């Protein structure tokens, strides 16, 4: 070591000098940091569910991608005049990448219990945002802008997502409500169209059919009873005169119909005895014609024709006896003309019936009233029987069509129930989404809170000059040892008796020691002085550099004293 001291010291000194220059010439970089807490919702999740279901770290990654867009970073570069020297010779994209490298995001996690699965897991409870720059004030201002972007982007993203969710559910709810209304209308029309054939009405329909059948049988039985009573009453009326018999001078006065029948009987007898031309027969014929007109059983035109036929015979007989201008022939011709005119008038005039005299026999009137009541009741029962038949046919048609109607009804009802269930589910989700949107609007849900605002860095984060110096000293010492070993291995000279003895195999006869003179002593003192001056200069330069670039010496002294006291306390305590 003594022989190779300069070969050791010179490389070590040069290397340490270079490291020292690098450590103190390297420009400082300051880092401003801010901590943002991810706060839990003010309203418990069990009461109101938020529409934001993703994890915090996932949302942070999404927010980071949106904040770190090229457009935002270019705006930050222009607003804060970053990379002023590089902007003239580097493209903007490379400057944006450099800015991204200066921004650091660190997540802060904690052990929690997942409320969904109940298992222990790690959750992000906060994150730290940092920015590095050569100017402390610039680092703080840029970090302030980044923190504002993160907070505003988180708030905007949550509100937009909640609003989009609510709007989507509202649209779906409106569509489902329209579908439910249409199905309700179709179901109501189907029920109205097939009333009585619906599945829930089958039991009632069967009961109505049984009751209608019983009613129809009862009505038919009553009609049969009325028919029997009608036959009885008609037979009674046929045997009874409608007019009550009364007496004049002790003789019974007959009714027009009875008198007509009596005269018709008498007319037949006299006509057989005397013939058609006998005055009594003619008289009875005229009286019968009058009674027919009175009772409404005669025909006026037929009677006139009968009289004309009789008058024609009289005219023929009169012409045989008398001349044409005889008064009897003239009178008969005039009568003939009168009858022909009456016949023409009777043929053109509407047929009228002579008024029928009202019955006055109380027994006849009572029987007639009973018969009318029976006929009226029978007509009513017949109408009721026809209505019951129509009703039974309708019920049978409904019952026969019930299976097909039931299939269509079940299908329509199932569609309605499914649509209503979907509508209720979406409506409940819409209400929950509206509550979640209210949480986001009023900032009662999970939110970002700035608990550590961006600080103004007082110390640079790099370079770590002390670590560089320590590493430089270690590597300088290692480089000196390496040079010493290299030169020693390349040197072929023989130094010392032991090396000579090892080479020759025989010890030397005499070993003469080095005799120091006055000049050697002065040289040693001079070298020692130079070494002391060099060490003093190095120490002074180091202290100056520490004072200028690292920290004030009084602060360093205070830190050293405090750490020494801590070590002593730990040592005494142990």
């Amino acid at each position: 070591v003594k022989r190779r001291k300069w070969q050791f010291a010179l490389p070590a000194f040069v290397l340490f000098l270079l490291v020292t220059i690098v450590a103190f010439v390297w420009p400082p970089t300051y880092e401003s940091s801010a901590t943002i807490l991810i706060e839990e919702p003010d309203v418990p999740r069990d009461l109101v569910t938020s529409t934001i279901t993703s994890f915090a770290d996932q949302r942070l990654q999404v927010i980071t991608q949106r904040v770190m867009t090229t457009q935002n970073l270019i705006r930050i570069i222009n607003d804060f005049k970053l990379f002023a020297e590089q902007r003239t010779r580097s493209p903007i994209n490379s400057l944006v990448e450099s800015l991204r490298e200066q921004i650091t995001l660190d997540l802060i996690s904690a052990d929690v219990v997942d409320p969904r699965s109940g298992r222990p897991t790690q959750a992000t409870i906060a994150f730290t945002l940092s920015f590095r720059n050569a100017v402390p004030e610039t680092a703080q201002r840029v970090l302030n802008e980044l923190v504002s972007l993160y907070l505003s982007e988180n708030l905007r993203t949550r509100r937009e997502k909640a609003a989009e969710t609510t709007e989507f559910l509202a649209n779906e709810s409106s569509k489902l409500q329209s579908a439910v209304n249409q199905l309700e209308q179709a179901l109501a029309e189907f029920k109205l169209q097939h009333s009585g054939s619906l599945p829930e009405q089958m039991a009632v329909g069967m009961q109505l059919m049984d009751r209608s059948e019983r009613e129809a049988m009862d009505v038919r039985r009553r009609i049969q009873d009325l028919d029997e009573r009608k036959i009885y009453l008609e037979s009674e009326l046929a045997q009874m005169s409608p007019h009550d018999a009364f007496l004049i001078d002790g003789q019974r006065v007959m009714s027009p119909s009875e008198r007509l029948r009596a005269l018709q009987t008498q007319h037949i007898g006299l006509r057989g005895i005397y013939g058609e031309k006998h005055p009594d027969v003619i008289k009875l014929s005229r009286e019968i014609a009058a009674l027919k007109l009175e009772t409404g059983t005669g025909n006026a035109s037929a009677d006139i024709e009968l009289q004309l036929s009789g008058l024609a015979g009289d005219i023929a007989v009169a012409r045989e006896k008398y001349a044409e201008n005889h008064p009897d022939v003239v009178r008969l011709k005039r009568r003939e003309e009168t009858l022909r005119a009456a016949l023409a008038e009777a043929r053109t005039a509407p047929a009228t019936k002579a008024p029928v005299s009202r019955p006055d026999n109380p027994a006849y009137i009572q029987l007639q009233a009973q018969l009318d009541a029976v006929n009226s009741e029978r007509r009513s029962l017949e109408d009721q029987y026809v209505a019951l038949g129509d009703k039974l046919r309708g019920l049978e048609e409904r019952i026969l069509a019930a299976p097909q109607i039931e299939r269509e009804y079940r299908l329509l009802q199932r569609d309605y129930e499914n649509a209503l269930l979907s509508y209720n589910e979406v409506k409940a989700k819409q209400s929950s989404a509206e509550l979640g949107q209210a949480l986001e609007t009023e900032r009662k849900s999970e939110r970002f809170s700035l608990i550590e605002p961006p600080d103004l860095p007082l110390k640079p984060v790099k370079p770590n000059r002390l670590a560089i110096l320590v590493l430089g000293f270690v590597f300088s010492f290692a480089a000196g040892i390496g040079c010493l070993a290299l030169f020693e291995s390349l040197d072929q000279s023989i130094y010392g008796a032991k090396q000579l003895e090892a080479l020759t195999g025989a010890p030397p006869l005499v070993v003469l020691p080095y005799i120091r003179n006055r000049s050697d002593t002065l040289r040693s003192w001079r070298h020692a002085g130079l070494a002391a001056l060099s060490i003093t200069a190095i120490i002074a330069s180091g202290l100056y550099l520490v004072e200028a670039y690292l920290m004030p010496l009084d602060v360093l002294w205070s830190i050293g004293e405090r750490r020494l006291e801590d070590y002593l306390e730990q040592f005494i305590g142990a």
Side-chain angles (χ1 to χ4, degrees):
V1 172
K2 184 179 179 181
R3 185 172 60 251
R4 305 286 182 184
K5 58 182 178 295
W6 295 110
Q7 296 173 356
F8 166 77
L10 186 60
F13 177 75
V14 172
L15 183 59
F16 184 72
L17 180 62
L18 292 175
V19 171
T20 303
I21 292 173
V22 170
F24 289 99
V25 172
W26 195 341
T29 301
Y30 294 90
E31 183 181 65
S32 179
S33 299
T35 302
I36 300 175
L37 179 65
I38 303 175
E39 292 192 67
E40 290 292 323
D42 294 338
V43 181
R45 289 189 176 93
D46 297 338
L47 299 179
V48 179
T49 304
S50 175
T51 55
I52 313 300
T53 57
S54 58
F55 293 102
D57 50 355
Q58 296 176 349
R59 294 198 303 276
L60 278 176
Q61 295 299 328
V62 174
I63 293 173
T64 300
Q65 295 299 322
R66 292 184 176 180
V67 170
M68 298 298 177
T69 59
T70 303
Q71 183 178 2
N72 287 338
L73 296 183
I74 290 176
R75 181 179 60 80
I76 291 174
I77 291 174
N78 294 330
D79 291 345
F80 296 98
K81 297 179 176 58
L82 303 177
F83 308 109
E85 298 178 358
Q86 294 89 336
R87 294 178 67 177
T88 57
R89 60 178 183 272
S90 299
I92 191 65
N93 291 333
S94 62
L95 299 181
V96 169
E97 292 298 326
S98 300
L99 182 59
R100 285 197 181 101
E101 293 176 357
Q102 295 176 1
I103 300 172
T104 305
L105 177 67
D106 296 323
L107 302 180
I108 301 175
S109 302
D111 294 331
V112 297
V113 177
D114 190 359
R116 302 175 184 174
S117 61
R119 298 178 180 178
T121 183
Q122 282 193 342
T124 302
I125 62 172
F127 64 95
T128 301
L129 195 63
S130 304
F131 179 73
R132 294 182 178 182
N133 193 267
V135 181
E137 292 79 5
T138 303
Q140 184 185 26
R141 290 189 291 115
V142 172
L143 185 60
N144 268 323
E145 180 66 19
L146 291 174
V147 168
S148 300
L149 287 176
Y150 267 83
L151 295 177
S152 61
E153 184 64 27
N154 174 66
L155 185 61
R156 186 185 66 82
T157 302
R158 295 182 69 92
R159 288 182 176 178
E160 285 184 356
K161 189 171 183 180
E164 290 174 358
T165 303
T166 304
E167 183 179 1
F168 170 76
L169 291 175
N171 294 333
E172 291 299 317
S173 176
S174 178
K175 294 178 182 178
L176 290 174
Q177 186 177 9
S178 299
V180 168
N181 292 336
Q182 293 177 359
L183 289 173
E184 283 181 350
Q185 181 67 24
L187 193 60
E189 293 177 356
F190 187 86
K191 287 183 176 180
L192 184 62
Q193 182 180 0
H194 301 91
S195 179
S197 300
L198 299 177
E200 58 268 18
Q201 297 174 343
M202 280 296 96
V204 178
M206 295 299 294
Q207 293 177 1
L208 288 175
M209 188 172 179
D210 294 339
R211 188 172 64 183
S212 298
E213 289 179 350
R214 291 194 298 269
E215 289 179 357
M217 294 175 62
D218 183 65
V219 170
R220 189 62 184 172
R221 181 180 55 79
R222 291 171 61 187
I223 290 176
Q224 293 175 357
D225 295 340
L226 290 176
D227 288 339
E228 294 177 358
R229 183 169 178 78
K230 179 181 178 182
I231 294 172
Y232 171 75
L233 291 175
E234 287 178 349
S235 64
E236 289 292 328
L237 283 175
Q239 300 174 7
M240 186 177 295
S241 174
H243 299 283
D244 192 12
F246 56 92
L247 302 175
I248 297 178
D249 296 334
Q251 295 182 357
R252 179 178 178 271
V253 179
M254 293 184 295
S255 64
S257 59
E258 291 177 344
R259 188 178 178 187
L260 177 61
R261 287 195 298 270
L263 290 177
Q264 286 176 346
T265 303
Q266 186 179 3
H267 179 268
I268 293 172
L270 290 176
R271 189 176 57 185
I273 297 172
Y274 301 108
E276 295 288 342
K277 304 299 182 177
H278 195 274
D280 293 337
V281 174
I282 294 173
K283 179 181 178 182
L284 286 176
S285 298
R286 293 174 180 174
E287 189 174 357
I288 289 171
L291 288 174
K292 284 183 178 180
L293 291 176
E294 183 179 356
T295 57
T297 58
N299 190 346
S301 60
D303 293 338
I304 294 173
E305 288 178 355
L306 182 61
Q307 292 179 16
L308 282 173
S309 62
L311 184 61
D314 293 340
I315 292 173
V317 172
R319 282 178 178 177
E320 289 178 357
K321 293 180 179 181
Y322 309 106
E324 290 292 332
N325 55 0
H326 192 272
D328 293 338
V329 176
V330 174
R331 179 177 55 79
L332 291 174
K333 286 183 178 181
R334 290 177 180 175
R335 180 171 176 77
E336 182 183 11
E337 292 176 358
T338 303
L339 289 175
R340 289 187 182 279
L343 178 60
E345 184 179 356
R347 286 177 177 177
T348 56
T352 57
K353 290 185 179 180
V356 180
S357 60
R358 297 180 60 184
D360 53 5
N361 188 354
Y364 183 88
I365 295 173
Q366 184 177 3
L367 289 175
Q368 185 65 44
Q370 292 179 4
L371 182 60
D372 293 340
V374 168
N375 290 328
S376 176
E377 185 177 0
R378 190 181 187 283
R379 287 193 297 270
S380 176
L381 290 176
E382 285 180 351
D383 295 339
Q384 186 177 356
Y385 185 77
V386 172
L388 288 174
D390 295 339
K391 184 177 180 181
L392 283 172
R393 284 191 293 274
L395 290 173
E396 288 177 356
E397 292 175 358
R398 292 176 183 176
I399 293 173
L400 291 176
Q404 179 65 22
I405 294 174
E406 181 179 5
R407 188 180 67 83
E408 297 177 2
Y409 177 72
R410 295 299 183 192
L411 181 61
L412 188 61
Q413 191 174 29
R414 183 167 61 252
D415 293 341
Y416 170 73
E417 290 175 354
N418 292 335
L420 185 61
L421 180 62
S422 301
Y423 171 73
N424 291 332
E425 291 179 354
V426 172
K427 197 65 178 178
K429 292 179 181 178
Q430 180 185 355
S431 300
S432 179
E434 290 175 353
L435 289 177
Q437 185 179 6
L439 284 179
E440 301 298 336
T441 304
E442 298 177 7
R443 301 195 65 183
K444 298 296 183 181
S445 62
E446 183 182 275
R447 59 190 179 276
F448 289 171
S449 297
L450 182 64
I451 57 175
E452 291 291 340
D455 57 343
L456 180 64
L458 300 178
K459 298 180 183 179
V461 293
K462 64 178 183 179
N464 190 347
R465 293 183 172 85
L466 181 60
I468 293 174
L469 291 175
V470 172
L471 291 176
F473 177 77
V474 172
F475 284 113
S476 299
F477 186 80
I481 295 295
C483 290
L484 188 148
L486 178 63
F487 282 106
E488 186 66 22
S489 62
L490 296 177
D491 192 2
Q492 301 296 325
S493 301
I494 299 174
Y495 300 98
K498 293 183 178 180
Q499 189 176 6
L500 182 60
E501 184 179 359
L503 292 175
T504 59
L509 296 177
V510 176
V511 177
L512 296 178
Y514 182 79
I515 301 174
R516 296 175 61 88
N517 54 18
R518 184 177 179 81
S519 60
D520 293 334
T521 303
L522 292 175
R523 189 183 309 110
S524 299
W525 288 354
R526 186 167 57 252
H527 291 169
L530 290 174
L533 289 174
S534 299
I535 292 171
T536 303
I538 292 172
I539 293 173
S541 300
L543 293 175
Y544 172 75
L545 293 174
V546 169
E547 173 73 21
Y549 295 97
L550 189 60
M551 66 177 64
L553 293 178
D554 55 349
V555 176
L556 182 62
W557 181 263
S558 300
I559 293 174
E561 285 183 346
R562 186 168 61 253
R563 291 186 177 178
L564 181 60
E565 291 176 358
D566 295 337
Y567 291 151
L568 291 176
E569 289 178 359
Q570 293 178 2
F571 179 75
I572 294 173

